[in-house]
Amino acid sequence: LSQSIADIDKDLEACSIEIHHLQSSVIFLQNQHRRLENYRTCLRSLKSPIRKLPNEVMLRIFDYACDMNDVFANNIEAMPASSISSVCARWRNLAKSQSILWSRIRIEM
């Protein structure tokens, strides 16, 4: 009887080890799945049609969108030049290259 209990204890320990190993594998696969989904999202964004617009067209759109920048506003919508330049590196470089976007400033004291 004591030998049977010892065998069962050994089997329980082996099962616990295997459960832990399988849980670790599941966590690894979930992390891998999440990384692959993020990578797929990044790759899809590279195919976005907006990326195909020439810089000149983008600058005209930015110029149209940036009517006035309210320096002391509490929300980002009042500073369209800042909003545009916060989207991505391309937009930031384009916005920085156009001084007209930054020259329309309203300051209310």
Side-chain angles (χ1 to χ4, degrees), residues 8-72:
I8 290 172
D9 287 342
K10 193 163 62 170
D11 288 344
L12 282 171
E13 181 64 27
C15 284
S16 294
I17 291 170
E18 184 65 19
I19 287 170
H20 179 70
H21 173 72
L22 291 173
Q23 286 172 335
S24 297
S25 295
V26 167
I27 290 169
F28 172 79
L29 288 172
Q30 287 171 334
N31 289 334
Q32 181 72 6
H33 187 266
R34 190 171 27 258
R35 280 192 298 274
L36 287 170
E37 283 182 334
N38 290 338
Y39 186 58
R40 180 182 61 187
T41 300
C42 290
L43 289 178
R44 281 188 176 160
S45 72
L46 291 175
K47 289 177 53 178
S48 175
I50 192 92
R51 292 185 173 272
K52 295 175 184 159
L53 285 178
N55 288 345
E56 295 77 21
V57 174
M58 294 295 294
L59 289 171
R60 290 191 74 175
I61 293 169
F62 294 170
D63 185 36
Y64 178 76
C66 291
D67 180 37
M68 191 60 65
N69 294 291
D70 189 354
V71 176
F72 293 111

Side-chain angles (χ1 to χ4, degrees), residues 70-108:
D70 189 354
V71 176
F72 293 111
N74 291 331
N75 57 8
I76 193 79
E77 291 86 17
M79 285 286 294
S82 291
S83 296
I84 287 171
S85 65
S86 299
V87 172
C88 65
R90 178 187 177 206
W91 287 27
R92 181 175 36 262
N93 291 334
L94 285 172
K96 284 169 54 177
S97 73
Q98 284 294 29
S99 60
I100 192 72
L101 300 179
W102 304 93
S103 64
R104 290 173 254 175
I105 299 174
R106 175 180 29 236
I107 300 174
E108 291 182 20

